[in-house]
Amino acid sequence: MQILWVKGGKLLPVDTGGKIRSYNILRHLARNHPVTLLSYYGSARDLHYEATIKQNLPGAETIHTAAPEATLAQSLDYIFRLPSKAPYAVTKFTDSKVRSTVRQWLSARRFDVAVCDFLSASLNFPEQLPVPAVLFQHNVETVLWQRLAEVEASPLRRLAYRIEAGKMARYERETLARFHSVIAVSDHDRNQMLAFNPNCSITVVPTGVDTEQYGVAPPASASPPVVVFTGSMDWEPNLDAVEYFCREIWPQVLVAFPDARFQIVGRNPHARVRRLASPSVEVTGTVSSVADYLRAATVVVVPLRIGGGTRLKIFEAMAMGKAVISTTIGAEGLDVVHGRDLLLADTSSVFAESILSLLRDSMLRRRYEQAAAIQAQRYDWARIASRFATVLSEAISDFRANGKPNRAPALPVSS
């Protein structure tokens, strides 16, 4: 099948959860199907990116837009777009050149199926879709913005998040029904979206992991203990997570293990993150290999209080055979069980005690390490991409049969 994949923003470098998910599914799909990635991006023209993405994904096409990326420019752009009924997280990724290109390509029937990657690209698709179009929902965007508003301390930002959440709730509900099929990354997300619109067709294709890149590592020593968090450090949920951890959890760990180190591993650390650096807290910034830091970790923590979709960082750590402690929100939507694959903790005291129990008891830690590695192996990207291809094929068959959405049940992941 001929596949068109439309994504706003650069796909490279592959350094965020959404990029990791999209890139790995794309590269596996391209082994068996002709795939055209339409990658459009703003800010300065980047010829190196345009050449590199075509090398990585032959057939890729790029469009350079005028979308602002600098903070001040985005703030002014947000004010300019405030009267729009659509949320800013969508309108800032909408471009006339992209809309025209997508409309022309779909009208010419160049493709058997089109994929809208993230809700952000959705306004670039025409209202009347001449070929089956599938919306790939990495998150339930409404829930994400609602959670941002709930924990935001700044009154001005909290107001902006509430406005965005209100717009998103209306827009997401309407857009779910506009596409022939929707792909969610978890049963939890699917159920939330069906609550918004019970008449849309939603299939689950779970999150995966590169089991070659994140191979099982030898057990790490607990002397001195190294606790690791990974993620893009310019994303608000991650900022909130490490601030919460350093403020309420890490001091409790240091009482019992004063020589312990906490490593915050991820690109573009915000000033709020850089301020957390101390003799016991390392802020790495961009690193050449996240896997190297995970390999040396005694335990991995995911203290997220905001978020949506599923966190690839958990499966990456588990694939390397690492014991993981997460909040319930952090592990939301993943096929993991508390007390079997990882530990869940939703208060600072329970979170700290969970860390301490694993640092003190090497046998207990080893049991979680082994269980984590076994569970992660079930979610290799090749298997996930195969399920994704099945959903696209079913969308094509259903569209050709009657032009109506396919309401097939979620696809399970076999063991």
Side-chain angles (χ1 to χ4, degrees):
M1 56 186 163
Q2 296 272 354
I3 303 169
L4 171 63
W5 188 294
V6 181
K7 178 171 177 54
K10 297 176 182 177
L11 185 57
L12 303 177
V14 185
D15 54 8
T16 67
K19 290 181 181 181
I20 293 169
R21 189 181 289 112
S22 296
Y23 178 81
N24 281 284
I25 291 174
L26 273 166
R27 70 184 180 93
H28 283 286
L29 284 177
R31 293 176 179 177
N32 300 300
H33 308 278
V35 177
T36 298
L37 166 66
L38 177 57
S39 173
Y40 65 98
Y41 67 97
S43 192
R45 182 80 181 270
D46 189 342
L47 296 177
H48 175 72
Y49 169 72
E50 294 181 12
T52 305
I53 192 64
K54 290 182 180 181
Q55 291 173 358
N56 280 260
L57 295 167
E61 298 285 346
T62 57
I63 294 179
H64 177 244
T65 73
E69 290 192 1
T71 302
L72 178 58
Q74 283 202 16
S75 298
L76 295 174
D77 191 47
Y78 174 77
I79 294 171
F80 176 76
R81 296 177 187 267
L82 195 57
S84 172
K85 291 183 178 180
Y88 181 67
V90 174
T91 59
K92 75 174 181 178
F93 287 102
T94 305
D95 180 82
S96 59
K97 290 187 291 185
V98 178
R99 296 182 75 174
S100 176
T101 300
V102 172
R103 183 177 63 254
Q104 290 175 14
W105 286 359
L106 296 185
S107 297
R109 304 295 204 277
R110 287 183 53 183
F111 302 95
D112 298 309
V113 64
V115 177
C116 177
D117 193 1
F118 277 95
L119 195 70
S120 56
S122 58
L123 273 181
N124 294 298
F125 282 72
E127 284 294 328
Q128 297 298 321
L129 295 163
V131 302
V134 176
L135 175 63
F136 187 15
Q137 278 278 70
H138 299 244
N139 307 295
V140 182
E141 297 292 339
T142 301
V143 174
L144 176 60
W145 287 100
Q146 288 171 342
R147 287 174 174 172
L148 283 168
E150 289 170 1
V151 302
E152 178 54 53
S154 164
L156 189 59
R157 280 201 299 265
R158 186 166 61 248
L159 175 61
Y161 291 159
R162 284 176 176 168
I163 293 172
E164 189 77 356
K167 288 184 175 182
M168 188 65 77
R170 179 176 57 254
Y171 182 82
E172 190 164 23
R173 181 176 60 252
E174 295 172 351
T175 304
L176 289 173
R178 190 160 70 87
F179 284 81
H180 299 108
S181 183
V182 178
I183 293 178
V185 298
S186 72
D187 287 323
H188 182 271
D189 280 14
R190 180 179 185 269
N191 291 337
Q192 287 185 318
M193 284 185 269
L194 286 175
F196 296 159
N197 192 327
N199 296 318
C200 57
S201 169
I202 307 177
T203 304
V204 175
V205 177
T207 282
V209 64
D210 188 335
T211 54
E212 292 184 6
Q213 180 181 1
Y214 295 94
V216 179
S221 168
S223 181
V226 179
V227 178
V228 172
F229 174 89
T230 66
S232 301
M233 296 319 304
D234 55 356
W235 193 49
E236 181 60 36
N238 287 341
L239 270 64
D240 176 78
V242 295
E243 287 180 325
Y244 163 64
F245 185 84
C246 289
R247 181 179 64 248
E248 300 187 26
I249 299 170
W250 189 235
Q252 299 180 61
V253 176
L254 290 177
V255 170
F257 290 89
D259 60 344
R261 289 183 296 130
F262 177 45
Q263 292 178 327
I264 301 173
V265 182
R267 69 181 184 99
N268 299 340
H270 191 279
R272 287 160 54 191
V273 178
R274 295 196 300 271
R275 285 195 290 268
L276 299 174
S278 71
S280 69
V281 178
E282 177 186 0
V283 179
T284 70
T286 301
V287 298
S288 58
S289 173
V290 171
D292 290 343
Y293 285 85
L294 289 174
R295 189 172 293 109
T298 314
V299 297
V300 174
V301 295
V302 188
L304 285 169
R305 303 189 297 173
I306 312 166
T310 53
R311 259 59 61 185
L312 284 84
K313 58 171 64 80
I314 289 184
F315 270 174
E316 290 171 349
M318 289 175 60
M320 297 195 75
K322 294 299 171 179
V324 177
I325 306 99
S326 173
T327 57
T328 300
I329 285 178
E332 197 171 68
L334 293 176
D335 182 17
V336 292
V337 176
H338 168 64
R340 184 193 72 185
D341 310 306
L342 80 178
L343 291 172
L344 298 179
D346 290 322
T347 67
S348 58
S349 58
V350 174
F351 206 113
E353 186 53 44
S354 297
I355 295 173
L356 293 174
S357 67
L358 293 177
L359 296 183
R360 288 168 175 152
D361 189 338
S362 61
M363 295 292 289
L364 177 65
R365 188 169 70 251
R366 185 62 184 146
R367 179 165 67 83
Y368 280 103
E369 290 170 345
Q370 292 173 334
I374 292 170
Q375 183 68 352
Q377 288 294 320
R378 300 175 60 215
Y379 291 88
D380 182 77
W381 280 119
R383 303 176 74 181
I384 300 306
S386 176
R387 285 153 178 77
F388 202 102
T390 299
V391 178
L392 298 186
S393 178
E394 290 177 348
I396 293 170
S397 298
D398 184 78
F399 183 84
R400 289 174 177 173
N402 51 33
K404 296 180 180 179
N406 170 27
R407 290 184 168 78
L411 290 177
V413 174
S414 58
S415 55

